[in-house]
Amino acid sequence: SPSLTHLTHLEYLDLHRNDFGGASIPKFIGSLKNLRHLDLHGAGFGRKIPPQLGNLSKLNYLDISFPAYKIISSSSVDSLQWLSGLSSLTYLYMSWWNLSAASDWLESLNMLASLQEVRLCFNNLPPTDLNYLSQSNFTVLDKIDLSSNSFNSIFPYWLTSIQTVSKINLAYCGLHGSIPKAVGNLTALTDLLLDKNILEGAIPESICRLCNLQILS
C-alpha cells in the first residue's frame, strides 16, 4: 500500500518470502528516504526493477534476489545507472533478474566504494570485458559472486588489488586465458571458485601464498 510512504522515519523494511504474484516492485519505495535495510528476496516481485530505488541514498542493505519469474523474455532493467545513487550501500544481492540490457553494470557497481558483498549470479549479464575497468573503487570488498554469467573475458586483474576480498566466485563465467600470478597477493582469500571456465595453463605457484585458502575449485 502507498500508505507506507507516511512512515517517514522507516529505516527497516523486510517483505521477503511473501508472494506478490509477479507485480513490479513499487516505485514509491524509492521515496522512503530513511531506509537503511530493504529485503525483498523471494517476495514474488517481477517485471521491471524501478530505477526509483536509486533515491535511497542511506540504504546499506539491498536484497531483491529471486524474482517471481526466473525466465523473463525481456530485460528487467534498461540500465543500472540508478545503483550509483546508493552511495551508502554495503550489501547488494540481485541474483536471477534478467540484466541482459545492463551494459553499464560494471561501472555502476564501481561507483559504490562502500560495497562489502555483491551477488549478481544467474543474471544473464551481457558479454563483458571485465578488464575494461582500469581501476577499482572496491576498497573494502569482502565477497563477490558473479557466477553463471557468460562474460567471455579473461580474469579481472583489478580483483587482484583488493586486499580485503575473502571470497571470489567466477564459476560458469566463460573466462579464458590464464589465472594471473597476482592472485597470490590476495592473502585474505578463503574461497576461490573458477570452475566450469575455459582457463589455460598452470595454476600459478603464487597460490601457495594464500595461507587462509580453504576452498579452491
Side-chain angles (χ1 to χ4, degrees):
S1 169
S3 62
L4 276 172
T5 58
H6 298 305
L7 305 177
T8 55
H9 300 287
L10 193 67
E11 295 185 4
Y12 190 105
L13 180 59
D14 186 344
L15 300 174
H16 84 277
R17 296 194 185 280
N18 283 283
D19 184 3
F20 290 95
S24 298
I25 296 172
K27 296 177 181 179
F28 68 75
I29 288 180
S31 65
L32 299 172
K33 296 296 181 65
N34 285 308
L35 271 190
R36 299 179 186 274
H37 184 109
L38 179 59
D39 189 346
L40 305 179
H41 93 264
F45 288 113
R47 303 179 189 171
K48 293 276 189 178
I49 301 172
Q52 287 81 359
L53 294 182
N55 297 330
L56 302 175
S57 59
K58 294 183 180 180
L59 201 66
N60 55 49
Y61 184 100
L62 176 61
D63 189 347
I64 57 173
S65 300
F66 302 106
Y69 306 114
K70 294 179 182 178
I71 301 174
I72 304 172
S73 58
S74 59
S75 183
S76 305
V77 295
D78 299 317
S79 164
L80 282 180
Q81 187 176 4
W82 56 270
L83 277 178
S84 61
L86 305 180
S87 54
S88 303
L89 202 64
T90 304
Y91 302 96
L92 174 64
Y93 308 125
M94 291 180 61
S95 297
W96 287 99
W97 289 89
N98 182 352
L99 304 182
S100 57
S103 58
D104 59 352
W105 69 272
L106 189 51
E107 61 251 44
S108 298
L109 282 184
N110 198 40
M111 299 291 288
L112 306 177
S114 60
L115 265 187
Q116 292 181 24
E117 294 189 23
V118 57
R119 191 174 300 147
L120 294 176
C121 52
F122 294 96
N123 285 122
N124 198 24
L125 287 167
T128 304
D129 176 5
L130 297 177
N131 284 285
Y132 85 82
L133 194 66
S134 57
Q135 185 173 354
S136 161
N137 292 322
F138 303 127
T139 54
V140 293
L141 189 67
D142 180 26
K143 300 178 179 68
I144 182 167
D145 184 350
L146 302 177
S147 60
S148 299
N149 290 289
S150 298
F151 295 126
N152 190 24
S153 173
I154 61 174
F155 188 95
Y157 280 82
W158 47 267
L159 262 180
T160 64
S161 64
I162 306 174
Q163 299 298 313
T164 55
V165 70
S166 70
K167 296 186 179 182
I168 295 174
N169 189 348
L170 294 174
Y172 291 88
C173 280
L175 297 183
H176 54 84
S178 59
I179 301 172
K181 294 179 180 178
V183 165
N185 299 332
L186 302 177
T187 53
L189 205 60
T190 62
D191 296 36
L192 179 58
L193 308 178
L194 299 174
D195 46 304
K196 300 298 181 181
N197 288 295
I198 46 175
L199 296 165
E200 302 170 354
I203 296 174
E205 292 183 9
S206 59
I207 289 277
C208 71
R209 299 204 300 266
L210 303 182
C211 54
N212 291 301
L213 198 65
Q214 298 173 21
I215 298 175
L216 174 61
S217 182

